[in-house]
Amino acid sequence: MRTTVSVSLNGSRSATGGPAVPMSPEALAESALAAVAAGAGEVLVHPRTPCRRESLSPRVVGPVLEVLRRAGVGVALSVTASTAAEPDPAGRLERVASWTVLPDRAVVDFGQPGATGLAEALLARGVAVDAVVPLGGTAGPEPLARFLAWPVREPGRVRLSAELAAGDPALVAGLRGLPPVPVLLYGRDVAAWPVLRLAARCGTDVRTGAGDVTHLPDGRPARSNAELVSAARDLLAEARGLPTEERGLPAEARDLPAEARGLPAEALGPAGRGAGPAGGGAGQDTP
C-alpha cells in the first residue's frame, strides 16, 4: 500500500500562527527541505507578497517555486489557487494563464465559484489538479455535486482532496460514485489528526503541515513542519503494523474504488475485486 504524505507549509495562517509557520521564500525552502527529509512526498505552499498577502501573480508564484527548486526540493510542488489569493474567478484564470513558472500541482476549491473552469485551465497548462471538496460541518452538498458533475477527462492528473470536518467514517460514504481518481483525506486544526487516522485506515493519501494544524497528536505545539510530517508518518506506520482485519476499516471506505484508496483489490473483499489497479498521488511514498 502506497500513501503520499503532502505537507501544507503555511496555508492561510499569518506569522502569528506559531514557530512552525514559514513565510518568506527562504523560510519556505528551509521548511520544505526538512519536511521532505522527514518523509513528505509533496509540498504545498501559499505564495505571498513581501507584505505577506496571498497572491497568484506570476511575480510572486514564480520566484517562490524557483527558490524551492534551487534549494533542492525534489518532490512535487503545489500552490493554492483560491479566492484568498484572487477573489474574482476571471482574475484567477488570468493569473494562471500568465504564470511563467509552473507548479507540478495546484489546489482548486470546488466550494468556490469558477472551480471547474479553473481546473480545466490548469490542466491545459500541464498542471495537475487537487480538487478540494469539504465534507461535514457547515459544508453543503454543492461542492461534491460540482465535482461529480465535472467530466474528468484526465483522471491520472486529478486527485480529490476531501476536507473532512471530523474523523467520522460516515463522511467517507459521501465519496461513493467517484470517477477513478486518487483520493486524499485531510482535516484542519482539531479535526486534523482524527482525519489522518481515518485516512490511514482507508488507505488514501494524507496531508498535514502547519497550514492545517499547529499541534501534535498529543496536543503539544509543533515546532516545525518536519515534526508534523514525522508524527503523520508514525500514525501511518502504526496503522500498517496491524493486520488488515484488525484496523477497523470503515464499511463506508470499502465503497471507494481501489484506484482512489491506493489499496490492492484483495484488501476490499469480494466486492472490491476487479476494481482495477491501485493508484495514488505522485511523489515520495511510504513503503
Side-chain angles (χ1 to χ4, degrees):
M1 179 167 58
R2 299 169 67 84
T3 298
T4 297
V5 179
S6 178
V7 58
S8 176
L9 294 181
N10 55 351
S12 296
R13 299 189 190 277
S14 69
T16 62
V21 184
M23 287 291 162
S24 70
E26 294 73 23
L28 287 167
E30 181 180 356
S31 184
L33 286 170
V36 171
E42 295 174 0
V43 169
L44 168 63
V45 298
H46 287 224
R48 284 177 164 80
T49 66
C51 59
R52 296 181 175 175
R53 290 184 59 186
E54 292 189 47
S55 175
L56 294 179
S57 167
R59 291 178 293 180
V60 176
V61 174
V64 168
L65 294 174
E66 288 176 333
V67 167
L68 289 167
R69 286 173 175 150
R70 281 200 305 268
V73 181
V75 301
L77 298 180
S78 179
V79 301
T80 185
S82 71
T83 55
E86 174 54 66
D88 178 46
R92 289 199 296 278
L93 291 173
E94 291 174 5
R95 291 299 197 187
V96 166
S98 69
W99 284 350
T100 54
V101 180
L102 296 178
D104 300 292
R105 312 185 67 87
V107 174
V108 177
D109 190 336
F110 270 64
Q112 297 177 355
T116 300
L118 180 59
E120 292 286 359
L122 287 161
L123 290 170
R125 295 221 61 194
V127 179
V129 168
D130 277 315
V132 170
V133 171
L135 296 173
T138 60
E142 293 82 7
L144 180 58
R146 188 176 295 127
F147 176 76
L148 293 176
W150 178 35
V152 179
R153 299 179 182 87
E154 300 180 75
R157 298 175 59 217
V158 174
R159 177 171 61 189
L160 174 65
S161 293
E163 180 184 342
L164 274 58
D168 183 358
L171 293 176
V172 183
L175 301 181
R176 292 178 178 138
L178 288 179
V181 298
V183 171
L184 180 150
L185 299 180
Y186 75 101
R188 296 182 188 273
D189 297 318
V190 296
W193 296 114
V195 172
L196 193 141
R197 290 186 178 93
L198 175 63
R201 292 161 62 196
C202 293
T204 68
D205 290 342
V206 301
R207 197 175 94 181
T208 189
D212 294 337
V213 60
T214 56
H215 65 273
L216 297 170
D218 63 6
R220 290 180 295 122
R223 295 170 294 180
S224 66
N225 276 296
E227 193 172 29
L228 291 164
V229 170
S230 180
R233 285 181 61 89
D234 286 346
L235 289 179
L236 292 170
E238 180 182 338
R240 292 198 181 92
L242 297 173
T244 301
E245 63 271 19
E246 293 181 14
R247 292 183 193 166
L249 184 67
E252 293 86 350
R254 300 188 187 107
D255 292 316
L256 291 180
E259 299 95 327
R261 297 197 291 111
L263 289 174
E266 290 76 8
L268 301 177
R273 297 192 178 104
Q284 181 177 329
D285 300 314
T286 60

